[in-house]
């Protein structure tokens, strides 16, 4: 890989319902790739903390505890891997006591803030099946951005995950949507991130695919950069070992083109700026 220091700070083991491999296999892959930092960030969907039957009874209360135990075990198992202890906290505002419980007593390195479904609406994954008018999409996005802003006001996380998430499900494959119509809402989010010294995540899980909407968009990161945003975390959002760090070098190419010279890794919940050091082809 043509970069000196690579980090992947968003990854799932089979502690997550959609993860395919044990933590050990994920860590082995990260080590084999020579990643300088690797964060496992299994899901905690706060709205499903207590095992609601609506979501098949999944109980994130138990998931959080299991994932933490396994993180500690794998720290010992891989002494040469800089394994960061992370969590992807979904919908924290929809069950604040759950969010607080998930974070208390565990010294995470990085807490990812996510919004996979808007309060009172079904998961975007299902929304995509419906076929929406432009007005309906605007309403969905307005609700989505509003809840993100509320999450930022709450603030107990380090990096904001996959900001353009709903578009994964609301756009057609190969489409490259423009965010121009949501510029004001995005600016509000970026300014708040910068003010509070939080990071914006570059989620690379779809960067190399053409069968799904092309996300995220460099337009978003260019705007964040123009406003002064310098903290960007990188995450492949892998759910199997083969996808660990996938798309990260390509994301760094994009960030360099925009003008970034550094990206961010959280260790002990403190941001560290990592230089983007490109290794020319003849030296690879
Ligand atoms: Zn997510
Ligand atoms: Zn994820």
């Amino acid at each position: 890989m043509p970069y000196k220091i690579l980090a992947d700070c968003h990854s799932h083991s089979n502690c997550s319902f959609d993860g395919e491999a044990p933590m050990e296999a994920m860590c082995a892959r990260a080590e084999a790739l020579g990643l300088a930092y690797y964060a496992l960030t299994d899901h905690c969907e706060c709205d499903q903390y207590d095992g609601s039957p609506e979501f098949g009874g999944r109980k994130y209360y138990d998931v959080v505890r299991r994932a933490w135990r396994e993180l500690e075990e794998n720290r010992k198992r891989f002494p040469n891997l800089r394994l960061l202890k992370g969590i992807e906290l979904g919908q924290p505002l929809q069950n604040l006591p759950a969010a607080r419980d998930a974070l208390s007593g565990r010294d995470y390195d990085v807490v990812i803030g996510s919004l996979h479904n808007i309060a009172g609406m079904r998961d975007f994954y299902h929304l995509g099946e419906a076929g929406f008018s432009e007005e309906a999409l605007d309403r969905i996005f307005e609700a989505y951005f509003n809840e993100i802003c509320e999450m930022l006001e709450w603030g107990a996380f380090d990096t904001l995950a996959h900001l353009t998430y709903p578009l994964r499900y609301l756009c057609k494959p190969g489409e490259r949507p423009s965010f121009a119509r949501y510029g004001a809402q995005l600016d509000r989010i970026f300014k708040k991130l910068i003010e509070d010294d939080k990071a914006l995540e570059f989620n690379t899980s779809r960067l190399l695919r053409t069968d799904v909407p092309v996300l995220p968009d460099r337009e978003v990161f260019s705007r964040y950069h123009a406003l002064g945003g310098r903290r960007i975390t990188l995450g492949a959002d892998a759910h199997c070992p083969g996808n660990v760090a996938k798309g990260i070098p390509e994301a760094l190419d994009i960030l360099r083109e925009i003008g970034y010279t550094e990206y961010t890794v959280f260790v002990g919940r403190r941001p560290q700026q990592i230089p983007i050091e490109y290794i020319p082809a003849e030296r690879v």
Side-chain angles (χ1 to χ4, degrees):
M1 299 209 196
Y3 285 94
K4 203 168 167 186
I5 310 172
L6 284 173
D8 183 351
C9 293
H10 186 156
S11 216
H12 298 274
S13 75
N14 62 6
C15 288
S16 294
F17 75 98
D18 51 358
E20 293 172 22
M23 246 184 223
E24 188 176 352
M26 301 299 287
C27 290
R29 176 71 179 156
E31 191 169 67
L33 288 171
L35 297 188
Y37 299 89
Y38 176 58
L40 272 158
T41 55
D42 279 303
H43 287 293
C44 171
E45 298 287 82
C46 294
D47 53 333
Q48 303 166 45
Y49 206 61
D50 310 312
S52 147
E54 192 193 337
F55 299 105
R58 267 195 297 277
K59 215 173 158 183
Y60 281 89
Y61 176 91
D62 297 330
V63 173
V64 165
R65 281 152 180 83
R66 176 185 154 198
W68 182 257
R69 210 170 45 240
E70 293 195 15
L71 280 168
E72 296 200 304
E73 286 164 11
N74 281 285
R75 269 263 177 105
K76 292 188 194 115
R77 193 175 278 142
F78 293 90
N80 299 321
L81 175 68
R82 193 83 191 265
L83 176 61
L84 302 174
K85 297 187 281 189
I87 184 168
E88 181 175 4
L89 204 60
Q91 301 78 251
L93 296 188
Q94 295 177 33
N95 187 348
L96 275 176
R100 282 192 210 106
D101 184 76
L103 299 184
S104 76
R106 282 173 278 276
D107 57 335
Y108 287 106
D109 287 298
V110 57
V111 177
I112 298 177
S114 289
L115 186 58
H116 297 125
N117 56 72
I118 305 166
M121 284 190 193
R122 295 186 71 202
D123 191 294
F124 297 117
Y125 183 80
H126 298 289
L127 287 175
E129 295 159 4
F132 285 92
S133 65
E134 216 157 71
E135 293 72 29
L137 285 181
D138 281 352
R139 275 200 304 278
I140 291 169
F141 271 98
E142 202 183 313
Y144 174 73
F145 289 131
N146 282 343
E147 195 164 336
I148 296 262
C149 286
E150 286 169 32
M151 276 169 59
L152 284 166
E153 285 300 326
W154 175 65
F157 61 92
D158 307 311
T159 182
L160 179 63
H162 46 58
L163 178 60
T164 50
Y165 182 84
L167 288 172
R168 285 186 188 187
Y169 303 109
L170 303 174
C171 292
K172 292 179 197 71
E175 239 175 44
R176 189 178 274 280
S178 169
F179 293 95
R181 59 191 289 131
Y182 306 113
Q185 290 103 315
L186 286 174
D187 277 7
R188 199 172 135 211
I189 290 167
F190 294 157
K191 284 176 187 163
K192 182 72 178 151
L193 283 171
I194 295 163
E195 197 182 299
D196 294 350
D197 204 21
K198 291 196 192 309
L200 180 65
E201 179 193 77
F202 196 146
N203 189 296
T204 66
S205 61
R206 300 194 152 213
L207 199 57
L208 306 180
R209 292 174 60 176
T210 51
D211 57 328
V212 290
V214 185
L215 292 169
D217 205 286
R218 79 174 60 212
E219 186 189 343
V220 168
F221 296 102
S222 297
R223 181 63 187 157
Y224 177 63
H225 186 266
L227 289 173
R230 293 295 180 271
R231 300 226 190 268
I232 292 194
T233 58
L234 298 164
D237 211 346
H239 288 70
C240 62
N243 285 341
V244 171
K246 204 168 176 184
I248 302 273
E250 291 78 7
L252 288 171
D253 290 344
I254 293 173
L255 293 179
R256 274 197 318 141
E257 285 161 23
I258 293 171
Y260 282 94
T261 56
E262 297 176 327
Y263 64 94
T264 305
V265 169
F266 283 87
V267 179
R269 305 207 56 191
R270 288 175 197 278
Q272 298 192 2
Q273 292 299 96
I274 309 293
I276 300 178
E277 288 184 68
Y278 183 73
I279 309 166
E282 63 271 20
R283 286 171 54 201
V284 172

PDB file of all heavy atoms in Angstrom, residues 139-163:
ATOM      1  N   ARG A 139     -37.761  15.639   3.175  1.00  0.00           N
ATOM      2  CA  ARG A 139     -38.259  15.515   4.559  1.00  0.00           C
ATOM      3  C   ARG A 139     -37.413  14.521   5.346  1.00  0.00           C
ATOM      4  O   ARG A 139     -37.069  14.751   6.500  1.00  0.00           O
ATOM      5  CB  ARG A 139     -39.734  15.077   4.552  1.00  0.00           C
ATOM      6  CG  ARG A 139     -40.706  16.248   4.399  1.00  0.00           C
ATOM      7  CD  ARG A 139     -42.095  15.865   4.869  1.00  0.00           C
ATOM      8  NE  ARG A 139     -42.612  14.682   4.193  1.00  0.00           N
ATOM      9  CZ  ARG A 139     -43.189  14.701   2.982  1.00  0.00           C
ATOM     10  NH1 ARG A 139     -43.344  15.837   2.341  1.00  0.00           N
ATOM     11  NH2 ARG A 139     -43.642  13.585   2.439  1.00  0.00           N
ATOM     12  N   ILE A 140     -37.048  13.409   4.705  1.00  0.00           N
ATOM     13  CA  ILE A 140     -36.217  12.393   5.363  1.00  0.00           C
ATOM     14  C   ILE A 140     -34.860  12.991   5.722  1.00  0.00           C
ATOM     15  O   ILE A 140     -34.380  12.856   6.846  1.00  0.00           O
ATOM     16  CB  ILE A 140     -36.035  11.151   4.454  1.00  0.00           C
ATOM     17  CG1 ILE A 140     -37.366  10.404   4.318  1.00  0.00           C
ATOM     18  CG2 ILE A 140     -34.950  10.224   5.014  1.00  0.00           C
ATOM     19  CD1 ILE A 140     -37.372   9.322   3.249  1.00  0.00           C
ATOM     20  N   PHE A 141     -34.264  13.717   4.743  1.00  0.00           N
ATOM     21  CA  PHE A 141     -32.951  14.293   5.012  1.00  0.00           C
ATOM     22  C   PHE A 141     -32.997  15.372   6.080  1.00  0.00           C
ATOM     23  O   PHE A 141     -32.078  15.498   6.885  1.00  0.00           O
ATOM     24  CB  PHE A 141     -32.309  14.821   3.729  1.00  0.00           C
ATOM     25  CG  PHE A 141     -31.513  13.754   3.056  1.00  0.00           C
ATOM     26  CD1 PHE A 141     -32.038  13.024   2.016  1.00  0.00           C
ATOM     27  CD2 PHE A 141     -30.246  13.439   3.523  1.00  0.00           C
ATOM     28  CE1 PHE A 141     -31.313  12.005   1.437  1.00  0.00           C
ATOM     29  CE2 PHE A 141     -29.516  12.418   2.950  1.00  0.00           C
ATOM     30  CZ  PHE A 141     -30.060  11.694   1.895  1.00  0.00           C
ATOM     31  N   GLU A 142     -34.062  16.137   6.071  1.00  0.00           N
ATOM     32  CA  GLU A 142     -34.183  17.175   7.092  1.00  0.00           C
ATOM     33  C   GLU A 142     -34.214  16.540   8.480  1.00  0.00           C
ATOM     34  O   GLU A 142     -33.518  16.975   9.392  1.00  0.00           O
ATOM     35  CB  GLU A 142     -35.443  18.001   6.841  1.00  0.00           C
ATOM     36  CG  GLU A 142     -35.341  19.357   7.497  1.00  0.00           C
ATOM     37  CD  GLU A 142     -36.627  20.155   7.324  1.00  0.00           C
ATOM     38  OE1 GLU A 142     -37.138  20.199   6.190  1.00  0.00           O
ATOM     39  OE2 GLU A 142     -37.091  20.693   8.339  1.00  0.00           O
ATOM     40  N   ALA A 143     -35.022  15.479   8.608  1.00  0.00           N
ATOM     41  CA  ALA A 143     -35.109  14.782   9.900  1.00  0.00           C
ATOM     42  C   ALA A 143     -33.762  14.158  10.259  1.00  0.00           C
ATOM     43  O   ALA A 143     -33.325  14.197  11.418  1.00  0.00           O
ATOM     44  CB  ALA A 143     -36.186  13.701   9.834  1.00  0.00           C
ATOM     45  N   TYR A 144     -33.085  13.605   9.265  1.00  0.00           N
ATOM     46  CA  TYR A 144     -31.779  12.971   9.486  1.00  0.00           C
ATOM     47  C   TYR A 144     -30.754  13.994   9.980  1.00  0.00           C
ATOM     48  O   TYR A 144     -30.111  13.814  11.010  1.00  0.00           O
ATOM     49  CB  TYR A 144     -31.316  12.316   8.181  1.00  0.00           C
ATOM     50  CG  TYR A 144     -29.918  11.752   8.202  1.00  0.00           C
ATOM     51  CD1 TYR A 144     -29.614  10.582   8.896  1.00  0.00           C
ATOM     52  CD2 TYR A 144     -28.876  12.381   7.507  1.00  0.00           C
ATOM     53  CE1 TYR A 144     -28.322  10.059   8.905  1.00  0.00           C
ATOM     54  CE2 TYR A 144     -27.589  11.851   7.506  1.00  0.00           C
ATOM     55  CZ  TYR A 144     -27.314  10.696   8.209  1.00  0.00           C
ATOM     56  OH  TYR A 144     -26.045  10.179   8.204  1.00  0.00           O
ATOM     57  N   PHE A 145     -30.638  15.117   9.246  1.00  0.00           N
ATOM     58  CA  PHE A 145     -29.652  16.132   9.639  1.00  0.00           C
ATOM     59  C   PHE A 145     -30.004  16.757  10.991  1.00  0.00           C
ATOM     60  O   PHE A 145     -29.119  17.066  11.780  1.00  0.00           O
ATOM     61  CB  PHE A 145     -29.535  17.212   8.561  1.00  0.00           C
ATOM     62  CG  PHE A 145     -28.848  16.732   7.299  1.00  0.00           C
ATOM     63  CD1 PHE A 145     -29.401  16.960   6.049  1.00  0.00           C
ATOM     64  CD2 PHE A 145     -27.643  16.048   7.372  1.00  0.00           C
ATOM     65  CE1 PHE A 145     -28.763  16.517   4.884  1.00  0.00           C
ATOM     66  CE2 PHE A 145     -26.994  15.600   6.219  1.00  0.00           C
ATOM     67  CZ  PHE A 145     -27.558  15.837   4.971  1.00  0.00           C
ATOM     68  N   ASN A 146     -31.295  16.910  11.254  1.00  0.00           N
ATOM     69  CA  ASN A 146     -31.684  17.460  12.556  1.00  0.00           C
ATOM     70  C   ASN A 146     -31.256  16.548  13.694  1.00  0.00           C
ATOM     71  O   ASN A 146     -30.758  17.004  14.718  1.00  0.00           O
ATOM     72  CB  ASN A 146     -33.203  17.677  12.620  1.00  0.00           C
ATOM     73  CG  ASN A 146     -33.606  18.930  11.868  1.00  0.00           C
ATOM     74  OD1 ASN A 146     -32.766  19.792  11.576  1.00  0.00           O
ATOM     75  ND2 ASN A 146     -34.876  19.037  11.522  1.00  0.00           N
ATOM     76  N   GLU A 147     -31.461  15.240  13.497  1.00  0.00           N
ATOM     77  CA  GLU A 147     -31.074  14.323  14.581  1.00  0.00           C
ATOM     78  C   GLU A 147     -29.553  14.277  14.748  1.00  0.00           C
ATOM     79  O   GLU A 147     -29.045  14.169  15.865  1.00  0.00           O
ATOM     80  CB  GLU A 147     -31.657  12.915  14.350  1.00  0.00           C
ATOM     81  CG  GLU A 147     -31.568  12.069  15.622  1.00  0.00           C
ATOM     82  CD  GLU A 147     -32.447  10.820  15.637  1.00  0.00           C
ATOM     83  OE1 GLU A 147     -33.462  10.781  14.920  1.00  0.00           O
ATOM     84  OE2 GLU A 147     -32.096   9.875  16.373  1.00  0.00           O
ATOM     85  N   ILE A 148     -28.818  14.408  13.615  1.00  0.00           N
ATOM     86  CA  ILE A 148     -27.343  14.478  13.714  1.00  0.00           C
ATOM     87  C   ILE A 148     -26.951  15.712  14.541  1.00  0.00           C
ATOM     88  O   ILE A 148     -26.067  15.652  15.402  1.00  0.00           O
ATOM     89  CB  ILE A 148     -26.706  14.573  12.308  1.00  0.00           C
ATOM     90  CG1 ILE A 148     -26.987  13.306  11.506  1.00  0.00           C
ATOM     91  CG2 ILE A 148     -25.210  14.907  12.402  1.00  0.00           C
ATOM     92  CD1 ILE A 148     -25.929  12.267  11.454  1.00  0.00           C
ATOM     93  N   CYS A 149     -27.609  16.834  14.279  1.00  0.00           N
ATOM     94  CA  CYS A 149     -27.285  18.065  15.034  1.00  0.00           C
ATOM     95  C   CYS A 149     -27.569  17.872  16.521  1.00  0.00           C
ATOM     96  O   CYS A 149     -26.791  18.324  17.370  1.00  0.00           O
ATOM     97  CB  CYS A 149     -28.080  19.256  14.489  1.00  0.00           C
ATOM     98  SG  CYS A 149     -27.455  19.825  12.900  1.00  0.00           S
ATOM     99  N   GLU A 150     -28.650  17.184  16.824  1.00  0.00           N
ATOM    100  CA  GLU A 150     -28.949  16.920  18.237  1.00  0.00           C
ATOM    101  C   GLU A 150     -27.888  16.012  18.857  1.00  0.00           C
ATOM    102  O   GLU A 150     -27.506  16.186  20.011  1.00  0.00           O
ATOM    103  CB  GLU A 150     -30.329  16.273  18.379  1.00  0.00           C
ATOM    104  CG  GLU A 150     -31.480  17.246  18.166  1.00  0.00           C
ATOM    105  CD  GLU A 150     -32.818  16.527  18.039  1.00  0.00           C
ATOM    106  OE1 GLU A 150     -32.994  15.471  18.671  1.00  0.00           O
ATOM    107  OE2 GLU A 150     -33.675  17.016  17.278  1.00  0.00           O
ATOM    108  N   MET A 151     -27.425  15.034  18.067  1.00  0.00           N
ATOM    109  CA  MET A 151     -26.353  14.166  18.559  1.00  0.00           C
ATOM    110  C   MET A 151     -25.104  14.978  18.860  1.00  0.00           C
ATOM    111  O   MET A 151     -24.399  14.742  19.844  1.00  0.00           O
ATOM    112  CB  MET A 151     -26.012  13.088  17.512  1.00  0.00           C
ATOM    113  CG  MET A 151     -26.911  11.873  17.564  1.00  0.00           C
ATOM    114  SD  MET A 151     -26.666  10.784  16.118  1.00  0.00           S
ATOM    115  CE  MET A 151     -24.929  10.369  16.266  1.00  0.00           C
ATOM    116  N   LEU A 152     -24.824  15.960  17.987  1.00  0.00           N
ATOM    117  CA  LEU A 152     -23.639  16.803  18.204  1.00  0.00           C
ATOM    118  C   LEU A 152     -23.794  17.656  19.460  1.00  0.00           C
ATOM    119  O   LEU A 152     -22.827  17.889  20.180  1.00  0.00           O
ATOM    120  CB  LEU A 152     -23.390  17.680  16.976  1.00  0.00           C
ATOM    121  CG  LEU A 152     -22.782  16.940  15.789  1.00  0.00           C
ATOM    122  CD1 LEU A 152     -22.890  17.768  14.520  1.00  0.00           C
ATOM    123  CD2 LEU A 152     -21.321  16.606  16.059  1.00  0.00           C
ATOM    124  N   GLU A 153     -25.007  18.116  19.712  1.00  0.00           N
ATOM    125  CA  GLU A 153     -25.254  18.880  20.946  1.00  0.00           C
ATOM    126  C   GLU A 153     -24.972  17.998  22.156  1.00  0.00           C
ATOM    127  O   GLU A 153     -24.400  18.429  23.149  1.00  0.00           O
ATOM    128  CB  GLU A 153     -26.716  19.367  20.998  1.00  0.00           C
ATOM    129  CG  GLU A 153     -27.022  20.530  20.073  1.00  0.00           C
ATOM    130  CD  GLU A 153     -26.189  21.772  20.377  1.00  0.00           C
ATOM    131  OE1 GLU A 153     -25.878  22.007  21.556  1.00  0.00           O
ATOM    132  OE2 GLU A 153     -25.837  22.496  19.422  1.00  0.00           O
ATOM    133  N   TRP A 154     -25.395  16.748  22.077  1.00  0.00           N
ATOM    134  CA  TRP A 154     -25.154  15.780  23.169  1.00  0.00           C
ATOM    135  C   TRP A 154     -23.648  15.538  23.313  1.00  0.00           C
ATOM    136  O   TRP A 154     -23.088  15.648  24.400  1.00  0.00           O
ATOM    137  CB  TRP A 154     -25.926  14.499  22.851  1.00  0.00           C
ATOM    138  CG  TRP A 154     -25.686  13.375  23.802  1.00  0.00           C
ATOM    139  CD1 TRP A 154     -26.026  13.334  25.135  1.00  0.00           C
ATOM    140  CD2 TRP A 154     -25.046  12.120  23.515  1.00  0.00           C
ATOM    141  NE1 TRP A 154     -25.644  12.126  25.681  1.00  0.00           N
ATOM    142  CE2 TRP A 154     -25.044  11.359  24.704  1.00  0.00           C
ATOM    143  CE3 TRP A 154     -24.486  11.559  22.368  1.00  0.00           C
ATOM    144  CZ2 TRP A 154     -24.494  10.079  24.783  1.00  0.00           C
ATOM    145  CZ3 TRP A 154     -23.956  10.278  22.438  1.00  0.00           C
ATOM    146  CH2 TRP A 154     -23.960   9.555  23.637  1.00  0.00           C
ATOM    147  N   GLY A 155     -23.035  15.141  22.200  1.00  0.00           N
ATOM    148  CA  GLY A 155     -21.581  15.227  22.089  1.00  0.00           C
ATOM    149  C   GLY A 155     -20.697  14.121  22.634  1.00  0.00           C
ATOM    150  O   GLY A 155     -19.474  14.234  22.542  1.00  0.00           O
ATOM    151  N   ALA A 156     -21.228  13.048  23.197  1.00  0.00           N
ATOM    152  CA  ALA A 156     -20.351  12.057  23.846  1.00  0.00           C
ATOM    153  C   ALA A 156     -19.762  11.028  22.870  1.00  0.00           C
ATOM    154  O   ALA A 156     -19.773   9.832  23.129  1.00  0.00           O
ATOM    155  CB  ALA A 156     -21.112  11.356  24.968  1.00  0.00           C
ATOM    156  N   PHE A 157     -19.280  11.516  21.731  1.00  0.00           N
ATOM    157  CA  PHE A 157     -18.590  10.634  20.790  1.00  0.00           C
ATOM    158  C   PHE A 157     -17.463  11.431  20.131  1.00  0.00           C
ATOM    159  O   PHE A 157     -17.361  12.637  20.311  1.00  0.00           O
ATOM    160  CB  PHE A 157     -19.576  10.069  19.745  1.00  0.00           C
ATOM    161  CG  PHE A 157     -20.254  11.098  18.906  1.00  0.00           C
ATOM    162  CD1 PHE A 157     -19.714  11.478  17.687  1.00  0.00           C
ATOM    163  CD2 PHE A 157     -21.428  11.718  19.334  1.00  0.00           C
ATOM    164  CE1 PHE A 157     -20.323  12.448  16.909  1.00  0.00           C
ATOM    165  CE2 PHE A 157     -22.041  12.681  18.561  1.00  0.00           C
ATOM    166  CZ  PHE A 157     -21.490  13.050  17.347  1.00  0.00           C
ATOM    167  N   ASP A 158     -16.614  10.718  19.367  1.00  0.00           N
ATOM    168  CA  ASP A 158     -15.398  11.349  18.844  1.00  0.00           C
ATOM    169  C   ASP A 158     -15.459  11.647  17.359  1.00  0.00           C
ATOM    170  O   ASP A 158     -14.895  12.625  16.885  1.00  0.00           O
ATOM    171  CB  ASP A 158     -14.193  10.441  19.104  1.00  0.00           C
ATOM    172  CG  ASP A 158     -14.099  10.050  20.565  1.00  0.00           C
ATOM    173  OD1 ASP A 158     -14.185  10.958  21.411  1.00  0.00           O
ATOM    174  OD2 ASP A 158     -13.960   8.842  20.862  1.00  0.00           O
ATOM    175  N   THR A 159     -16.089  10.741  16.607  1.00  0.00           N
ATOM    176  CA  THR A 159     -16.118  10.938  15.159  1.00  0.00           C
ATOM    177  C   THR A 159     -17.505  10.598  14.631  1.00  0.00           C
ATOM    178  O   THR A 159     -18.156   9.680  15.134  1.00  0.00           O
ATOM    179  CB  THR A 159     -15.011  10.102  14.467  1.00  0.00           C
ATOM    180  OG1 THR A 159     -15.034  10.361  13.055  1.00  0.00           O
ATOM    181  CG2 THR A 159     -15.154   8.613  14.709  1.00  0.00           C
ATOM    182  N   LEU A 160     -17.933  11.371  13.660  1.00  0.00           N
ATOM    183  CA  LEU A 160     -19.280  11.199  13.104  1.00  0.00           C
ATOM    184  C   LEU A 160     -19.198  10.281  11.879  1.00  0.00           C
ATOM    185  O   LEU A 160     -18.542  10.602  10.888  1.00  0.00           O
ATOM    186  CB  LEU A 160     -19.843  12.571  12.716  1.00  0.00           C
ATOM    187  CG  LEU A 160     -21.234  12.586  12.091  1.00  0.00           C
ATOM    188  CD1 LEU A 160     -22.287  12.058  13.068  1.00  0.00           C
ATOM    189  CD2 LEU A 160     -21.603  14.000  11.652  1.00  0.00           C
ATOM    190  N   ALA A 161     -19.877   9.146  11.986  1.00  0.00           N
ATOM    191  CA  ALA A 161     -19.753   8.110  10.949  1.00  0.00           C
ATOM    192  C   ALA A 161     -20.575   8.428   9.708  1.00  0.00           C
ATOM    193  O   ALA A 161     -21.599   9.109   9.796  1.00  0.00           O
ATOM    194  CB  ALA A 161     -20.209   6.767  11.504  1.00  0.00           C
ATOM    195  N   HIS A 162     -20.104   7.896   8.605  1.00  0.00           N
ATOM    196  CA  HIS A 162     -20.837   7.869   7.331  1.00  0.00           C
ATOM    197  C   HIS A 162     -21.999   8.875   7.234  1.00  0.00           C
ATOM    198  O   HIS A 162     -23.157   8.497   7.156  1.00  0.00           O
ATOM    199  CB  HIS A 162     -21.337   6.458   7.026  1.00  0.00           C
ATOM    200  CG  HIS A 162     -22.001   5.708   8.175  1.00  0.00           C
ATOM    201  ND1 HIS A 162     -23.095   6.178   8.844  1.00  0.00           N
ATOM    202  CD2 HIS A 162     -21.710   4.518   8.748  1.00  0.00           C
ATOM    203  CE1 HIS A 162     -23.454   5.310   9.768  1.00  0.00           C
ATOM    204  NE2 HIS A 162     -22.627   4.291   9.741  1.00  0.00           N
ATOM    205  N   LEU A 163     -21.611  10.130   7.153  1.00  0.00           N
ATOM    206  CA  LEU A 163     -22.598  11.217   7.164  1.00  0.00           C
ATOM    207  C   LEU A 163     -23.636  11.102   6.045  1.00  0.00           C
ATOM    208  O   LEU A 163     -24.763  11.557   6.201  1.00  0.00           O
ATOM    209  CB  LEU A 163     -21.861  12.569   7.076  1.00  0.00           C
ATOM    210  CG  LEU A 163     -22.713  13.830   7.033  1.00  0.00           C
ATOM    211  CD1 LEU A 163     -23.589  13.943   8.287  1.00  0.00           C
ATOM    212  CD2 LEU A 163     -21.829  15.067   6.917  1.00  0.00           C
TER     213      LEU A 163
END
